Amino acid sequence: MKICLFFLSMLMLTISYGQKGILSGKVVDKVSGESIIGAIVEIQLVSQQITGSSTDIDGNYLVELTPGTYSVIIRYLSYAQHTISDVVIIAKEVSTLDVALESESKELVEVVVKAEAIRTTEVALIALQRKAYTIQDGVSSQQITRTGSSNAADAIRQMPGAVIEGDRFIVVRGLGDRYSISQLNGATLPGTDPYRNSTSMDLIPSQMIDNIISVKTFTPDLPGNFSGGLINIATKSIPDKFNLSLGINTSFNSQSTLIDNFQSPADKGKYDWLGFDDGSREQPEILLNEEIRNQLSSSTYLEARKADNNDIRSIFDETSKSLSNTFVPARTSTPLNMGFNFSMGNRMKLFNKDLGWTLGLNYASNFNHYDNGNVATFVNTNSEDLFAYQNLNESKSVRNPNLGGLFNLAYKLSDNHIISGNIIFNNDAEIISRTQKGSYLGQISNSLADFNTNSIEFIQRQMTNFQLGGRHALPKLNNVLVEWNSSMTRSFQHEPDIKYFAFTTVCNDGGVEGDCEYYINNAEYAFPYHFFRKLDDKNFEGKLDITIPFLNAKNTNNPNSLKVGGLYSSAERSFEEYRYQLNNSGVPATLNFTTFDGDFNAFFNPSNFGIVDTLFKGDGGIQRYVTGYHYINQINAKNFYSGSTSVASAYAMLTFNVTNKLKAVGGVRMEKTDMEVVSRDTTVDIGQINLTDFLYSGNLIYALTEKSNLRLAATQTLARPNMRELAPFVQFDTKNGFFNVGNPDLKRTLIQNYDVRYELYPKAGELIAFSAFYKLFQDPIIRAFNPRATIPELSFINVDKATVAGVEIEVRKSLDFVHRSLQNFYFNTNLALIHSEYKIPQDEIDNSKNIDPEYAETTRPFQGQAPYIVNAILSYINPESGFEVALAYNVSGQRLYNISLFATPDIYEQPLSLLNFKISKRFAENYQVSFTAKNILDSVSKKTLEFHGKEYIAESYPIGRTFGVSLTYQIR
């Protein structure tokens, strides 16, 4: 209630913002792009000074004025005075006026321009691109909105050299999520998936994003554990005035919406629509007792059926009936996808100081379904064709609810001191129901039998992040800048009660319904079972940066600087997996699976579980009890582990203007890593890394002209294994029946990075850039099969070295150079060509040659690396009419999806061409309506392998076309 009153009171304060207009903007150095702190901003009306202001720590200013036409004068020591005339202020609107000051000279005493000219300066682009010490790319909130991106993952697809793997994980410059890190407002975000290194980028809704920057070269003030890219998501900052946005949207998918064969758990939770489990899937209380669990073995039934063994019989009966028996998905109908978003913010006075705040909420509910999917595993048996180890037709349904919120606060103690904090929360769930049917010749002895699976999963991922930071300029110390930030994150991935049920059918007369026999063969595959998985992470990060500017005689307006600081981060993880498998020992023949003729409801009836009957002696006494189906404890101590990671860093970085055109940025960063992963199984090794690394960075930035730069960089970075990879945890994959195993002996990777980039800024909002890079890896971590495992088993190993090389081209251009009538058309495209390579381990090559003497592969690319990536966006933007149209295209070349074993060709994900369209129109001043069309080409996701010129499909599924509409109400 107090929270509601708090937000209500702020809303009442914010609505009364009066009839005045606002003039705001940023003042920077025209050459360096550096923010100018303390610049004087004078406002004049008919040569009479009305008011004044000064720029703050970020070079920003804001003045509240009555409507009218003004002149604005910007002054700062050693810079030419800048006068802008005819600045029009409109009631209740924000007028933006950014200014780039030029250094004062005898020839240049004052610059006088019209407001219309200055409004389209290259200031914003200079501040983001030319100011950067690194090679970087970005996507603005406007571009995210125009292309209809729903989350950060969708938006990142538009960046040069970026690919999104599995719809959520970033691959930058051909390097998977191991070599990229994600940040939120400069603080590193942990992952919510135990099997990946980076954050699931689909967790951050687009409505919360101000911009996304992809940093591709390392400087000592950044974390050293990236080589592909550092993705920083900046959330909405202090607004200039009160703003409010309320939007609703709905969409239709051609294969998932308004269908009546959507698969869904029969025992739904009442909070599933929010992405929360209501507790009905949690592990039963009785099974949380370790002493009871340890009594559930394959021979427990022998004790339970004895007449005089009441205690064990009671445990046997209760545990057998305590778990859910709904192993088979039910069929239901689906509604339209829908979403809701709300945001509100304002700037107000608190104790006569500026306080800015932003609140954002979003909710989405989406349904995805396909019937004609395929999952297959092929093995080379040294014949003309590959052997189909398994080949299954798949039907899969996923319900995906997402709930998130963001709250930002920033308090300006003075122009030189700002404190800010934010809270971001996101809860995302995938409720998955899957059925498969086909051949499984690698495991099933009867070649005429069909192998069938049913699986039901509830995967909940949640992240809560708290940040508090400050920026402080110290004018008395020559504007020394002190920045600090602390971040705490709690994230988890919970998978309560994953249910997997496999059986075989042998059908006569071509599989006529009712003429099939049903079997479960525990010697060839497992009886039905339950999984309970739970991963919890706690992360803390604190950092301090101090920038000390100093001048030299040749560059009085381009100060050099020494930046020093440190960072400490820690992470704690706990992971546990419980497994309970159905057992038929002691079950009477009348309850045999085959006797139910495929009536699964009858088979899984609770009356068939636990104690099902009592046999009496002739004198009326109990002879013994009859035991039915029951669960045995299959918990493996290796599947419980705890881990901790701490990284302590310190750095020094020098920025030195060698000449007026040449800037050098370099230094060194020390990172001390302590990682430890301990399994509950004390017989296995502890995964440990205890190292201190010194990472260097050298960058040269040469201003060829006022509008072009040449950048060179040579750096050393590293990559660490994650805790799951160090843990000996054996994870079963319900999709393909494989096992994934960790490796406690993994080492960290060192990477040498070399980059060159030419960038040209023809005019405001335009960019032409050419980049090239080369990377050399020492001890890279790759995935590898265990050739001695009877069931396919994937693990992680280090190889000696690997290389990655590539080029990138980016063009952002208005089409007015073609003809003046095209001044509202904009073209944005980028292309990346990438090659990576590492040598296949010799023992794998030898094993493959033993199977197929003609096997000739000796190298592989990195997993997830695409040889080419193409993005193109054609936009039409007409501010006067309120029309915006965008056509976006994305495609990447085939990339390694998974490695194979037994001399079998590797599996590659084939190019997926995505063509999306969006049109939006503002009307009635505060409303905007939009229409989107996604995957217009109706592309199909497909993973294949090629052998002797023939293509084999390892996995495929259709995506379908999606059409959506949205309506937004805005006050801005």
Side-chain angles (χ1 to χ4, degrees):
M1 184 65 183
K2 292 181 179 179
I3 295 176
C4 294
L5 290 174
F6 171 70
F7 286 123
L8 181 62
S9 62
M10 286 202 295
L11 176 61
M12 296 303 295
L13 285 170
T14 59
I15 292 177
S16 57
Y17 49 81
Q19 298 299 310
K20 291 188 176 183
I22 292 174
L23 177 67
S24 69
K26 177 184 284 287
V27 179
V28 300
D29 183 282
K30 187 171 184 179
V31 176
S32 68
E34 297 281 353
S35 300
I36 295 178
I37 303 172
I40 304 302
V41 181
E42 293 181 357
I43 312 297
Q44 294 186 351
L45 180 63
V46 194
S47 301
Q48 177 183 0
Q49 182 170 338
I50 300 300
T51 187
S53 181
S54 61
T55 55
D56 64 16
I57 191 171
D58 296 310
N60 296 322
Y61 69 93
L62 184 142
V63 185
E64 192 172 338
L65 299 167
T66 56
T69 302
Y70 296 84
S71 292
V72 179
I73 301 173
I74 312 291
R75 293 185 290 106
Y76 192 67
L77 183 65
S78 300
Y79 285 87
Q81 180 172 298
H82 213 105
T83 301
I84 307 98
S85 61
D86 299 331
V87 178
V88 178
I89 301 300
I90 301 173
K92 299 191 292 183
E93 290 191 8
V94 176
S95 300
T96 301
L97 186 63
D98 294 332
V99 177
L101 296 185
E102 297 181 73
S103 58
E104 189 174 29
S105 65
K106 292 180 180 178
E107 294 80 15
L108 186 65
V109 177
E110 183 176 8
V111 177
V112 181
V113 297
K114 293 277 187 178
E116 288 78 12
I118 199 68
R119 288 183 192 275
T120 56
T121 64
E122 71 276 32
V123 171
L125 199 55
I126 288 174
L128 287 175
Q129 297 280 5
R130 297 188 61 181
K131 179 182 176 181
Y133 299 146
T134 61
I135 293 175
Q136 65 183 43
D137 300 296
V139 179
S140 67
S141 59
Q142 290 85 357
Q143 183 170 323
I144 293 171
T145 301
R146 286 173 193 145
T147 56
S149 300
S150 58
N151 53 54
D154 280 347
I156 290 170
R157 292 183 196 272
Q158 304 168 34
M159 289 184 170
V163 170
I164 295 298
E165 189 175 44
D167 292 328
R168 64 181 59 150
F169 300 107
I170 51 176
V171 176
V172 181
R173 287 184 161 181
L175 299 170
D177 62 302
R178 174 188 316 286
Y179 300 104
S180 300
I181 58 177
S182 308
Q183 292 189 331
L184 181 69
N185 300 320
T188 303
L189 285 173
T192 54
D193 189 322
Y195 316 116
R196 307 300 292 246
N197 288 273
S198 69
T199 300
S200 301
M201 302 307 291
D202 60 334
L203 286 178
I204 312 296
S206 59
Q207 293 82 12
M208 298 181 181
I209 300 172
D210 190 53
N211 63 65
I212 305 176
I213 299 295
S214 173
V215 179
K216 295 179 177 177
T217 55
F218 165 68
T219 52
D221 57 340
L222 298 174
N225 58 320
F226 77 94
S227 178
L230 182 153
I231 305 294
N232 184 52
I233 301 171
T235 55
K236 303 293 186 181
S237 187
I238 301 180
D240 292 325
K241 66 165 191 172
F242 174 76
N243 64 82
L244 182 145
S245 176
L246 176 64
I248 56 173
N249 62 80
T250 185
S251 64
F252 172 90
N253 181 273
S254 59
Q255 63 188 35
S256 305
T257 307
L258 304 180
I259 60 175
D260 56 10
N261 62 333
F262 188 85
Q263 299 180 106
S264 178
D267 50 351
K268 299 177 185 177
K270 59 184 177 181
Y271 302 128
D272 284 6
W273 65 280
L274 283 172
F276 292 85
D277 178 49
D278 61 1
S280 60
R281 296 180 178 91
E282 291 297 328
Q283 195 170 180
E285 189 72 27
I286 189 172
L287 294 177
L288 296 176
N289 187 318
E290 185 175 0
E291 183 178 345
I292 291 177
R293 279 201 314 266
N294 291 337
Q295 297 182 61
L296 304 181
S297 69
S298 58
S299 59
T300 303
Y301 79 97
L302 296 172
E303 295 297 319
R305 66 186 186 181
K306 293 179 180 178
D308 58 350
N309 207 336
N310 294 331
D311 290 341
I312 192 66
R313 184 171 61 256
S314 175
I315 290 173
F316 177 89
D317 189 57
E318 188 174 349
T319 57
S320 299
K321 297 175 180 178
S322 64
L323 292 168
S324 167
N325 287 345
T326 56
F327 282 87
V328 180
R331 299 286 175 169
T332 186
S333 58
T334 56
L336 293 170
N337 297 326
M338 58 84 65
F340 158 86
N341 61 80
F342 169 79
S343 65
M344 180 173 64
N346 196 17
R347 177 192 294 251
M348 61 180 68
K349 293 293 184 180
L350 181 65
F351 305 119
N352 206 33
K353 307 291 184 182
D354 282 341
L355 172 71
W357 60 271
T358 300
L359 170 70
L361 301 171
N362 70 280
Y363 171 77
S365 176
N366 296 303
F367 296 82
N368 297 289
H369 172 82
Y370 60 80
D371 277 324
N372 299 312
N374 184 257
V375 175
T377 304
F378 296 94
V379 176
N380 185 355
T381 56
N382 195 19
S383 61
E384 284 301 311
D385 298 312
L386 295 178
F387 168 67
Y389 190 91
Q390 69 169 355
N391 194 350
L392 307 174
N393 182 272
E394 180 175 82
S395 176
K396 181 181 177 182
S397 301
V398 182
R399 182 178 184 181
N400 182 208
N402 181 288
L403 178 66
L406 168 75
F407 183 60
N408 283 349
L409 270 177
Y411 189 55
K412 188 181 289 188
L413 300 171
S414 70
D415 285 341
N416 296 319
H417 301 278
I418 296 177
I419 302 292
S420 61
N422 66 63
I423 302 171
I424 186 167
F425 169 84
N426 199 278
N427 187 85
D428 176 271
E430 289 182 300
I431 306 169
I432 305 170
S433 298
R434 177 190 286 118
T435 58
Q436 298 172 326
K437 181 177 182 178
S439 64
Y440 200 0
L441 300 179
Q443 293 291 113
I444 306 300
S445 56
N446 187 347
S447 61
L448 299 178
D450 282 324
F451 180 71
N452 303 264
T453 73
N454 294 269
S455 61
I456 298 174
E457 302 176 55
F458 182 96
I459 303 174
Q460 181 186 9
R461 298 175 295 146
Q462 190 180 109
M463 177 187 68
T464 307
N465 176 264
F466 303 87
Q467 290 187 16
L468 181 65
R471 304 182 73 239
H472 311 276
L474 308 177
K476 293 183 179 180
L477 296 177
N478 195 30
N479 278 331
V480 167
L481 180 64
V482 178
E483 300 169 281
W484 58 273
N485 184 277
S486 60
S487 172
M488 291 185 294
T489 305
R490 196 258 170 138
S491 59
F492 66 73
Q493 177 166 301
H494 291 177
E495 300 172 72
D497 205 5
I498 299 172
K499 287 171 279 193
Y500 182 82
F501 164 41
F503 62 94
T504 53
T505 54
V506 179
C507 300
N508 300 317
D509 298 328
V512 177
E513 187 176 357
D515 195 15
C516 297
E517 295 179 348
Y518 294 78
Y519 300 93
I520 295 181
N521 188 344
N522 198 37
E524 296 178 341
Y525 53 88
F527 261 85
Y529 53 76
H530 295 258
F531 276 128
F532 295 87
R533 294 174 182 157
K534 192 173 185 180
L535 176 140
D536 286 285
D537 276 348
K538 295 179 181 178
N539 297 265
F540 169 79
E541 181 176 288
K543 66 175 183 176
L544 174 68
D545 301 293
I546 302 173
T547 304
I548 306 168
F550 62 93
L551 301 176
N552 62 32
K554 296 181 180 180
N555 294 284
T556 56
N557 288 322
N558 296 319
N560 306 309
S561 66
L562 174 65
K563 189 174 184 180
V564 296
L567 177 147
Y568 176 80
S569 65
S570 65
E572 294 182 0
R573 168 174 292 182
S574 64
F575 180 83
E576 54 190 36
E577 180 188 81
Y578 300 84
R579 173 176 174 170
Y580 304 97
Q581 184 176 335
L582 196 68
N583 189 266
N584 66 339
S585 299
V587 173
T590 55
L591 296 185
N592 193 293
F593 181 73
T594 60
T595 64
F596 291 91
D597 291 326
D599 187 347
F600 302 130
N601 290 329
F603 172 71
F604 285 111
N605 192 295
S607 64
N608 299 333
F609 287 71
I611 304 300
V612 298
D613 202 355
T614 306
L615 299 180
F616 295 93
K617 300 177 182 178
D619 61 2
I622 296 176
Q623 178 182 344
R624 69 176 179 86
Y625 291 90
V626 179
T627 56
Y629 289 100
H630 50 279
Y631 289 100
I632 59 175
N633 178 15
Q634 287 204 328
I635 292 175
N636 187 338
K638 290 182 180 179
N639 296 356
F640 291 74
Y641 69 88
S642 59
S644 63
T645 300
S646 66
V647 177
S649 307
Y651 74 89
M653 183 176 81
L654 179 66
T655 301
F656 190 79
N657 293 280
V658 182
T659 69
N660 286 330
K661 291 190 173 184
L662 179 62
K663 178 178 292 186
V665 181
V668 65
R669 182 182 185 92
M670 181 275 292
E671 291 202 352
K672 186 179 186 304
T673 304
D674 289 303
M675 294 184 70
E676 182 176 87
V677 179
V678 181
S679 172
R680 186 179 292 184
D681 185 347
T682 57
T683 65
V684 300
D685 293 337
I686 295 175
Q688 284 185 318
I689 295 179
N690 296 295
L691 287 172
T692 299
D693 292 292
F694 291 89
L695 309 174
Y696 65 83
S697 171
N699 295 263
L700 293 176
I701 307 166
Y702 186 75
L704 297 169
T705 68
E706 188 176 297
K707 295 183 177 182
S708 64
N709 288 329
L710 178 66
R711 298 176 181 266
L712 300 172
T715 64
Q716 177 173 273
T717 56
L718 58 82
R720 304 178 181 93
N722 66 28
M723 285 187 274
R724 188 269 170 268
E725 293 166 343
L726 281 173
F729 166 44
V730 181
Q731 179 249 343
F732 179 75
D733 189 335
T734 58
K735 181 176 70 177
N736 57 31
F738 288 1
F739 289 94
N740 292 287
V741 185
N743 179 4
D745 297 322
L746 286 176
K747 298 181 287 186
R748 64 93 174 90
T749 304
L750 286 177
I751 309 116
Q752 312 297 322
N753 310 275
Y754 304 96
D755 294 81
V756 60
R757 176 176 171 120
Y758 169 77
E759 52 193 23
L760 172 68
Y761 306 102
K763 61 180 183 179
E766 297 186 350
L767 168 67
I768 300 173
F770 301 89
S771 305
F773 58 90
Y774 177 80
K775 300 176 184 292
L776 177 62
F777 295 75
Q778 177 186 330
D779 298 320
I781 300 169
I782 64 165
R783 301 194 78 182
F785 270 108
N786 178 2
R788 293 168 293 278
T790 56
I791 296 178
E793 184 179 282
L794 272 168
S795 186
F796 307 89
I797 64 170
N798 293 99
V799 293
D800 289 339
K801 63 180 181 179
T803 58
V804 175
V807 295
E808 296 171 335
I809 302 171
E810 181 178 12
V811 177
R812 300 184 188 184
K813 196 80 174 70
S814 167
L815 296 185
D816 58 359
F817 74 95
V818 177
H819 192 273
R820 190 171 183 179
S821 63
L822 300 177
Q823 62 181 345
N824 290 332
F825 287 86
Y826 301 88
F827 183 63
N828 181 354
T829 185
N830 55 72
L831 165 69
L833 302 174
I834 305 166
H835 175 78
S836 67
E837 183 179 285
Y838 70 85
K839 290 184 178 180
I840 299 174
Q842 190 60 45
D843 60 344
E844 183 181 335
I845 294 176
D846 293 341
N847 180 269
S848 296
K849 284 185 176 294
N850 289 335
I851 297 169
D852 183 356
E854 295 182 2
Y855 182 83
E857 297 296 325
T858 58
T859 63
R860 276 196 189 102
F862 274 153
Q863 187 166 346
Q865 181 259 309
Y868 65 85
I869 304 165
V870 178
N871 290 288
I873 304 171
L874 179 63
S875 304
Y876 171 79
I877 305 168
N878 191 326
E880 295 181 358
S881 66
F883 258 116
E884 290 190 6
V885 183
L887 186 67
Y889 177 76
N890 169 269
V891 67
S892 56
Q894 71 166 17
R895 55 188 189 266
L896 182 63
Y897 174 70
N898 216 342
I899 65 173
S900 297
L901 75 168
F902 305 138
T904 307
D906 293 327
I907 302 169
Y908 282 83
E909 185 170 358
Q910 295 304 309
L912 182 69
S913 296
L914 294 177
L915 182 64
N916 300 332
F917 173 79
K918 180 177 180 180
I919 182 171
S920 63
K921 175 70 170 70
R922 293 197 312 274
F923 65 96
E925 187 176 353
N926 297 114
Y927 292 89
Q928 180 171 298
V929 63
S930 302
F931 169 79
T932 57
K934 295 185 177 182
N935 191 26
I936 296 171
L937 302 177
D938 200 20
S939 298
V940 174
S941 177
K942 187 167 66 172
K943 288 92 174 176
T944 68
L945 58 162
E946 186 176 318
F947 185 70
H948 289 176
K950 181 179 177 181
E951 183 182 74
Y952 295 80
I953 297 178
E955 183 179 332
S956 70
Y957 60 90
I959 299 172
R961 297 183 177 96
T962 300
F963 305 94
V965 294
S966 65
L967 176 65
T968 303
Y969 173 78
Q970 293 178 321
I971 299 176
R972 55 184 180 178

